[in-house]
Amino acid sequence: MAGAIIENMSTRKLCIVGGILLVLQVIAFLVGGLIAPSPTTAVPYMSVKCIDVRKNHHKTKWLMPWGPNHCKKLKDFDEAVSRQIEANDIVFAVHIPLPSKEMSPWFQFMLFIMQLDIAFKMDNDLKENAEITLDVSLAYRDDMFDDWEEIAHAIEIRKLKCTFGSPKTVESEGRHYDCDFLPFMEIGSVAHKYYLINIRLPVNDRKGINVGIGEIKDIRLVGIHQNGGFTKVWFAMKTFLTPSILIIMVWYWRRITLMTRAPVLLEKVIFALGISMTFINIPVEWFSIGFDWTWMLLFGDIRQGIFYAMLLSFWIIFCGEHMMDQNERNRLSGYWKQVGPIAVGSFCLFIFDMCERGVQLKNPFYSIWTTEVGTELAMAFIIVAGICLCLYFLFLCFMVFQVFRNISGKQSSLPAMSKARRLHYEGLIFRFKFLMLITLACAAMTVIFFIVSQVTEGHWKWGDITIEVNSAFFTGIYGMWNLYVFALMFLYAPSHKNYGEDQSNGDLGVNSGEELQLTTTITHVDGPTEVYKLARKEAQE
C-alpha cells in the first residue's frame, strides 16, 4: 500500500514538472510570436550620383545625396558624357537612414548588400569573370549640422556574376543584365544616428581597373538591421533567464558538493553545460546601447559555438556513461575519439569566423568570399567542420544503438536480479529513455521551426491576430534550450533525503546510513537523483 501511494505521488510530481516546463515553452514561443515584431528589417537605398571635380579627390570632402549641403547631382551617365565629366569624378552617395529618420543603438547591427544595374552596350560589353573595384568610405555624425567623421575607408574588389537573357545584338542595347547581389558591408553596432557612404568606381585603362564591367547605370543597396522592438524583447528574455539558470546551477552544484564522494564525470559535464548556457544568457548586450562595441557579433558567435560544442559533448558522454557493461567510464580521456571531431570542427568554424568577422572589426567592407583564395580557404574550413560533424553523428548513433541493445538485454533479466541491482538498472533505463525523448523533441522542434521560418512569409494572420513566425522561432528555441539545461540539472541533482534504515536501505543490501547512488552508471552510496525520486525508483514496501 505504501509503495503504491509513493508511486502515485512520484508520478504526479513528474507530471507537474513536465507540465510546468511545457507551459514555459509555450510562453517562450508566444512572446516572440505575439509581442515581438519581426527580427529584422530590410530597407532599400538608391545611390545618388554626385560630381566631385576637385583635384586629387581629397578624402576630407564628403558628398551628401540630399539636405542643405547636398552635392551637385547627375541624372544619368548620358548627362555626364555631354558635360564631359569623367568616371573618376563621379561618386555614388548613400545616406543612412532615409530622410527624416534616425538610426538607433537598438538596431544592434547593419548588414548591406549591393546590386548593380548594368546595361548592355555593344561597344562596352560585360566581360566574362569581370571584377569591379570599389573605392568606398563610411562616415558618421550624430547631428545634422556636425561634420562627418570617418569610420572606415577601403578599396575592395568584387566579382560580377551576371547573365543576359537576350541575344547580344544592337536591338538589345539598353537592356539590363541580371546580376547577383554582392556582399558590401557589415558593422556590429549602430552607435550613431546618421551614416554616409561614398562609393567611387576608379577607372584606369593601363592597369585594367574597372575595364570591361559594362555600362553601370545605378548602384542600389539593401540595408538590413535588427528591429528595436525585437531587441528589447530579446534583452528582456536574457535578463530573465540569466538568474534562473544561475540559481539552478548554484543549487545543483551545492547538492553535489554535499556528497561524501567527488563529483563524477556526468555531473561535471552537466554543470559545464549550465555554465555555457549562462555564458550565452548574460545580457552584456545592454552595454551595446551606450557603447560602440562593434565586436558584439563576433562575441555572440563565440558564445554560441561554446554552448553547441558543450551540448554535443554532453550527448556523447551521456550515452557513454549509460553503457552499463563497459569498464572505461567516468574518464574524459575515454571519449577522445568522439569529442575529438567536435573540437576540430569547432576550431575550424572559429578560424573561419575570425577570418570574416574578425577582419570586419577593422574593415567593415571586407568579405572572405570576394577572392579565390579566401573562398577556397573558407570552403576548406566549412568542409572540414562538416566532415567532423558527420563523424560525430556516426559515433553518436553507434553509441545510442549500443545503449539500447544493452537496455534490451538488461530488461529481460531484471526480475532475476537482487533488489539493489534491479533498482540500479531501472534507474539507468528510465533516465536514458526519458532524456533521449526530450532531446529528440528539442532537436525536432529546432529543425521544424527553422524550416517553417524559411518557407513562410514571416508571419501568420488569423483574424485580428498576427503571429511573427521568425520571432517565435528565435525566442521559442532560445527558451527551449534553456529549459532543457534547467531540466537536466534538476533531474540529475543528487538527493540528500534520508528515508531511514528500514525504509530505504534495509531491502537494498546497503550499509546503515547509506543510500544507493544512481546519478551515474557507477554504483556508489550517497543518495538517489531527482529522476530517481520522481520516477518511482525509490520503491518502498
Side-chain angles (χ1 to χ4, degrees):
M1 179 67 70
I5 295 175
I6 293 175
E7 180 177 339
N8 293 333
M9 291 177 61
S10 300
T11 304
R12 187 162 56 248
K13 288 180 181 179
L14 185 60
C15 292
I16 291 173
V17 172
I20 292 174
L21 293 178
L22 181 61
V23 169
L24 293 175
Q25 178 62 77
V26 172
I27 292 175
F29 279 109
L30 293 180
V31 165
L34 300 179
I35 299 177
S38 176
T40 57
T41 294
V43 182
Y45 296 92
M46 172 67 78
S47 64
V48 173
K49 292 177 278 293
C50 296
I51 305 172
D52 185 9
V53 295
R54 295 168 299 114
K55 186 177 181 181
N56 298 327
H57 300 155
H58 298 293
K59 297 174 184 176
T60 55
K61 175 69 174 179
W62 294 93
L63 300 179
M64 272 282 294
W66 46 263
N69 298 318
H70 66 81
C71 64
K72 295 181 180 180
K73 304 177 184 178
L74 286 173
K75 291 183 179 180
D76 51 41
F77 284 96
D78 293 335
E79 180 185 352
V81 173
S82 64
R83 295 173 58 180
Q84 296 183 344
I85 298 174
E86 297 182 358
N88 289 327
D89 297 329
I90 299 175
V91 178
F92 296 85
V94 177
H95 186 278
I96 305 165
L98 298 172
S100 72
K101 295 185 179 180
E102 293 181 357
M103 301 301 285
S104 167
W106 293 101
F107 293 163
Q108 291 294 287
F109 68 89
M110 290 191 298
L111 172 67
F112 283 86
I113 54 177
M114 173 187 286
Q115 185 177 27
L116 300 174
D117 291 343
I118 303 177
F120 168 72
K121 236 184 177 182
M122 293 292 294
D123 58 350
N124 189 14
D125 191 14
L126 178 65
K127 294 181 179 179
E128 188 176 355
N129 299 321
E131 294 182 342
I132 184 171
T133 301
L134 306 170
D135 185 343
V136 290
S137 301
L138 175 67
Y140 76 89
R141 67 183 181 185
D142 292 307
D143 189 275
M144 290 298 293
F145 302 99
D146 289 345
D147 293 332
W148 290 101
E149 299 288 339
E150 183 178 287
I151 296 177
H153 171 262
I155 296 178
E156 295 292 327
I157 297 176
R158 298 288 189 266
K159 288 186 177 181
L160 297 178
K161 296 181 180 180
C162 303
T163 57
F164 194 68
S166 302
K168 292 186 177 181
T169 61
V170 177
E171 292 76 14
S172 299
E173 283 194 347
R175 296 184 179 179
H176 286 196
Y177 286 89
D178 183 13
C179 298
D180 293 345
F181 285 98
L182 302 175
F184 180 68
M185 182 186 75
E186 184 175 27
I187 187 168
S189 69
V190 190
H192 306 287
K193 295 181 180 179
Y194 309 105
Y195 293 86
L196 178 64
I197 298 175
N198 281 181
I199 306 172
R200 291 177 170 85
L201 303 179
V203 177
N204 190 316
D205 294 329
R206 183 172 58 85
K207 296 182 179 180
I209 298 176
N210 285 335
V211 176
I213 60 173
E215 186 173 311
I216 297 179
K217 293 294 187 180
D218 284 300
I219 295 180
R220 305 170 187 268
L221 298 180
V222 177
I224 302 171
H225 62 77
Q226 190 164 294
N227 276 327
F230 178 82
T231 303
K232 294 175 182 178
V233 172
W234 190 253
F235 285 10
M237 282 195 68
K238 281 177 166 281
T239 305
F240 170 76
L241 290 172
T242 298
S244 303
I245 298 297
L246 275 175
I247 290 172
I248 192 68
M249 278 180 58
V250 172
W251 174 82
Y252 172 79
W253 194 248
R254 181 177 177 275
R255 298 290 287 262
I256 293 175
T257 54
L258 290 176
M259 296 281 110
T260 58
R261 57 168 175 79
V264 293
L265 178 60
L266 189 59
E267 293 170 339
K268 294 177 182 178
V269 172
I270 293 176
F271 186 70
L273 185 63
I275 293 175
S276 64
M277 189 78 255
T278 304
F279 190 41
I280 289 183
N281 288 341
I282 295 176
V284 294
E285 291 86 352
W286 282 110
F287 293 101
S288 66
I289 304 302
F291 299 94
D292 187 10
W293 286 357
T294 57
W295 45 266
M296 285 303 298
L297 289 177
L298 178 61
F299 183 60
D301 289 346
I302 294 174
R303 290 196 295 179
Q304 291 186 40
I306 292 174
F307 170 72
Y308 286 120
M310 198 66 244
L311 182 65
L312 297 179
S313 301
F314 163 74
W315 287 342
I316 283 288
I317 294 173
F318 174 79
C319 291
E321 294 298 285
H322 285 77
M323 289 183 185
M324 293 170 283
D325 292 329
Q326 72 169 7
N327 297 321
E328 297 293 328
R329 292 181 291 204
N330 202 35
R331 293 191 302 110
L332 185 60
S333 58
Y335 298 96
W336 69 270
K337 292 181 181 179
Q338 296 87 352
V339 178
I342 300 174
V344 174
S346 300
F347 179 75
C348 289
L349 294 178
F350 172 74
I351 296 299
F352 166 75
D353 214 29
M354 290 299 296
C355 292
E356 176 81 0
R357 285 183 167 165
V359 177
Q360 287 174 349
L361 297 179
K362 291 294 184 181
N363 178 15
F365 303 105
Y366 174 81
S367 175
I368 195 173
W369 302 100
T370 57
T371 62
E372 291 185 4
V373 175
T375 300
E376 292 175 359
L377 184 64
M379 289 302 300
F381 284 131
I382 293 175
I383 290 172
V384 172
I387 293 174
C388 291
L389 186 62
C390 292
L391 290 175
Y392 165 82
F393 276 107
L394 287 176
F395 280 127
L396 182 62
C397 292
F398 177 70
M399 295 180 74
V400 171
F401 169 76
Q402 283 187 314
V403 175
F404 274 108
R405 185 180 63 179
N406 287 355
I407 286 176
S408 299
K410 292 298 178 185
Q411 281 181 321
S412 61
S413 58
L414 283 179
M417 293 183 180
S418 64
K419 185 171 184 180
R421 191 169 181 82
R422 175 171 53 83
L423 291 175
H424 172 72
Y425 283 113
E426 285 178 350
L428 297 179
I429 291 169
F430 171 83
R431 185 174 54 194
F432 181 80
K433 289 184 175 180
F434 181 76
L435 188 59
M436 284 301 297
L437 179 63
I438 295 178
T439 301
L440 290 174
C442 290
M445 288 177 65
T446 301
V447 174
I448 290 171
F449 271 86
F450 176 76
I451 294 174
V452 170
S453 66
Q454 297 299 309
V455 301
T456 61
E457 297 180 355
H459 61 271
W460 292 339
K461 194 160 187 174
W462 291 322
D464 296 332
I465 300 176
T466 300
I467 297 179
E468 290 290 344
V469 178
N470 293 334
S471 297
F473 168 75
F474 282 109
T475 60
I477 298 304
Y478 175 60
M480 181 188 70
W481 288 115
N482 270 275
L483 293 174
Y484 181 83
V485 174
F486 185 96
L488 275 178
M489 288 189 283
F490 175 76
L491 296 175
Y492 276 76
S495 173
H496 296 269
K497 188 173 181 181
N498 188 3
Y499 295 95
E501 182 177 347
D502 295 336
Q503 287 183 316
S504 62
N505 299 329
D507 294 334
L508 298 180
V510 184
N511 293 334
S512 177
E514 297 176 339
E515 293 179 342
L516 186 64
Q517 168 62 24
L518 293 178
T519 305
T520 66
T521 56
I522 299 175
T523 304
H524 199 294
V525 291
D526 221 320
T529 63
E530 294 297 325
V531 171
Y532 184 79
K533 293 195 301 180
L534 294 179
R536 311 185 306 268
K537 296 181 197 65
E538 292 176 346
Q540 300 182 19
E541 299 178 354

